[in-house]
Amino acid sequence: MKPNPANDLLAREVDKPKLTLPNPIGSLSFADIPTVQHVFSPFYAEGFVSMTVGPPKLGKSAYAVWESVMAASGYGGKEPVVTYYHNAEDDGFILQGRVAAICRAYGLNDAELTNLRQNLILTGAEHTIDGEQGLILVTGQDAVRNDRAFEYLDAVIDKNGVKLCILEPLQDLTTSPETNEVFRSMGKAIREFVKRKRIALGLYHHTRKLTIGQKVTMDDARGGSAIRGFCRSNRLLVPMTEGEGINAQVKDHRHYFRIGEIEANLAPPSSDVNQWYEKIGVLIENGENVVAVKPWKWPDAFAQITHEMACRVYNLVLDADPPFRYSHQSSEWLGYAIAPLLNIQIPPPSDKQERKQVIGHLRQILATWEHTGVLAKDEVLDAKRMPRPCYVVGQNNPAETEFGDEL
């Protein structure tokens, strides 16, 4: 009997799963659309993964512990968040010392300390699951999901009511090679787990090895775009450069770093979009000096500018012939001339990003002086009789004001 092609086709159609097709949004109420629920800060959202990237030895672990303590303690009157922090690089007693340093540095009160003891779960590199190597999420050349590790996380979250989970460093959560495919598989497994458990999960990750003087970007994260793709939020920890340290007049620029966002990378260091932190040493009860981080504010644009400096700038503009240009794109811009008078170092053109930041800082200073009447803008004819925007002195001569008045 000859086979009937029509019957074969019918059989294949029967075996096909039924498709669920989407409908128009119809009478959907926009007011009923669920909103993103943030946990501890806007960076951590319920049901999503967040990624923090930075160079080695920057202070990522100290910052991760700081976030964990702030969240679990409810520091500053906030609602405490049950937090699980795991560090696959450092032993537990090291992490405990960092917690103690933060408690002492911030002076947590009794209620905050009680919250911290109840809400912070802490494990280090020596921690094992079933007596085997610690929290390994994927293994093997193909990044096979380690079900036992996820079962462990599931149990920890359920037992303690965890809402925020911070794990670091990412490369120590796998024994697989560091390829885009491995990180993509790992990310898929983590994202599915986080969605199911409705927690916020933060991962800390290293950058590739950078050359001296190289500016760090999110593209330098080990795993590249595969890493960033499975995260809702990404942020970059950026070390203070030597030039920034000179302009901020700090003793050691290596003690400072900032959270760099896309817009922050182009903003002056003093801009509010740059969140700066300082690494400090804290003597804790066992006699150890332990590193902790504290928010640090870039000095005010006029913090290091004296009354004498303002008078020098005013006289420089008064005597200038031809006058200095108003546009920072001109080589004859006033900012270049006053930088030495203000002890501000302008990086060379090769350091594009840092140079742009310092020029932005100088523009802020000039804008303030223009606003307060020390300087003014005027159209001045150049050698070719073409009108050019230039700086001239304003009606407010700093030599005629008392020291301490607005410069």
Side-chain angles (χ1 to χ4, degrees):
M1 183 176 182
K2 293 183 178 181
N4 188 336
N7 290 337
D8 292 343
L9 179 62
L10 180 62
R12 289 198 297 271
E13 290 294 331
V14 171
D15 291 339
K16 280 185 178 179
K18 291 184 178 181
L19 296 176
T20 302
L21 301 177
N23 296 316
I25 63 173
S27 60
L28 171 68
S29 170
F30 294 157
D32 294 333
I33 298 174
T35 58
V36 174
Q37 300 299 307
H38 295 115
V39 177
F40 172 56
S41 77
F43 185 68
Y44 293 110
E46 184 179 286
F48 293 95
V49 182
S50 302
M51 175 75 69
T52 302
V53 175
K57 309 302 180 184
L58 172 74
K60 293 190 300 299
S61 292
Y63 187 74
V65 173
W66 174 79
E67 283 195 308
S68 301
V69 171
M70 294 293 105
S73 66
Y75 178 77
K78 294 182 179 180
E79 187 69 24
V81 178
V82 181
T83 303
Y84 175 45
Y85 170 65
H86 174 74
N87 185 312
E89 259 184 347
D90 297 316
D91 289 334
F93 76 94
I94 298 293
L95 307 177
Q96 293 164 5
R98 290 174 184 165
V99 169
I102 293 169
C103 292
R104 177 168 282 265
Y106 282 80
L108 267 62
N109 60 37
D110 290 343
E112 291 163 345
L113 287 171
T114 298
N115 288 335
L116 179 68
R117 293 181 182 278
Q118 293 175 344
N119 297 317
L120 181 60
I121 304 105
L122 195 72
T123 54
E126 78 283 3
H127 186 70
T128 60
I129 299 175
D130 296 338
E132 298 181 357
Q133 188 176 2
L135 192 59
I136 302 299
L137 301 181
V138 296
T139 62
Q141 292 294 318
D142 298 324
V144 178
R145 185 181 189 273
N146 183 3
D147 290 336
R148 190 60 182 142
F150 282 98
E151 289 171 4
Y152 164 80
L153 283 176
D154 207 316
V156 171
I157 291 167
D158 288 347
K159 176 186 176 183
N160 298 282
V162 171
K163 296 302 294 180
L164 173 62
C165 187
I166 297 178
L167 309 177
E168 67 151 336
L170 180 62
Q171 67 269 15
D172 287 339
L173 303 179
T174 174
T175 56
S176 302
E178 291 188 8
T179 65
N180 284 353
E181 291 71 23
V182 164
F183 280 126
R184 194 173 289 113
S185 297
M186 178 191 257
K188 184 175 184 293
I190 293 173
R191 185 168 56 189
E192 290 174 351
F193 176 80
V194 169
K195 288 283 186 186
R196 179 170 63 83
K197 299 305 294 183
R198 300 303 305 170
I199 64 165
L201 188 142
L203 297 170
Y204 276 70
H205 190 40
H206 292 325
T207 59
R208 303 183 185 94
K209 187 175 182 180
L210 304 175
T211 59
I212 296 176
Q214 181 180 347
K215 306 299 182 185
V216 60
T217 70
M218 282 300 302
D219 291 331
D220 295 311
R222 285 156 69 168
S225 59
I227 287 290
R228 294 156 55 189
F230 69 82
C231 298
R232 178 182 183 270
S233 302
N234 293 286
R235 65 185 175 188
L236 186 67
L237 300 187
V238 183
M240 178 182 282
T241 66
E242 185 175 1
E244 288 173 338
I246 291 172
N247 291 332
Q249 298 192 10
V250 298
K251 289 184 177 179
D252 191 338
H253 68 280
R254 293 169 295 183
H255 293 171
Y256 302 85
F257 65 91
R258 64 181 172 88
I259 295 179
E261 308 293 351
I262 293 175
E263 67 273 15
N265 286 339
L266 300 179
S270 56
S271 173
D272 289 339
V273 300
N274 284 309
Q275 303 171 56
W276 284 96
Y277 292 87
E278 179 184 9
K279 292 179 284 187
I280 60 173
V282 180
L283 187 66
I284 63 174
E285 285 77 359
N286 69 355
E288 288 285 333
N289 198 316
V290 181
V291 68
V293 298
K294 294 193 74 172
W296 178 81
K297 187 173 179 60
W298 187 277
D300 180 81
F302 284 86
Q304 307 298 330
I305 297 178
T306 65
H307 187 261
E308 181 184 2
M309 289 176 180
C311 292
R312 288 180 182 176
V313 169
Y314 184 90
N315 291 331
L316 178 69
V317 175
L318 179 64
D319 297 335
D321 184 19
F324 293 102
R325 292 288 183 84
Y326 190 84
S327 172
H328 70 281
Q329 295 179 339
S330 170
S331 61
E332 299 171 0
W333 177 52
L334 177 60
Y336 296 129
I338 69 170
L341 300 180
L342 306 181
N343 295 326
I344 293 177
Q345 183 182 73
I346 300 179
S350 57
D351 293 339
K352 293 182 180 179
Q353 182 171 309
E354 189 175 342
R355 183 181 176 86
K356 184 174 290 188
Q357 290 176 332
V358 174
I359 287 175
H361 180 60
L362 286 165
R363 292 177 68 188
Q364 286 183 329
I365 294 173
L366 291 173
T368 302
W369 270 330
E370 185 178 357
H371 177 72
T372 56
V374 174
L375 299 175
K377 178 183 178 183
D378 194 14
E379 294 283 339
V380 179
L381 298 179
D382 64 11
K384 297 180 180 180
R385 308 298 294 172
M386 295 291 294
R388 303 291 185 187
C390 294
Y391 277 105
V392 296
V393 295
Q395 78 280 5
N396 181 13
N397 185 348
E400 297 175 358
T401 62
E402 295 183 8
F403 185 80
D405 288 354
E406 189 160 27
L407 303 177

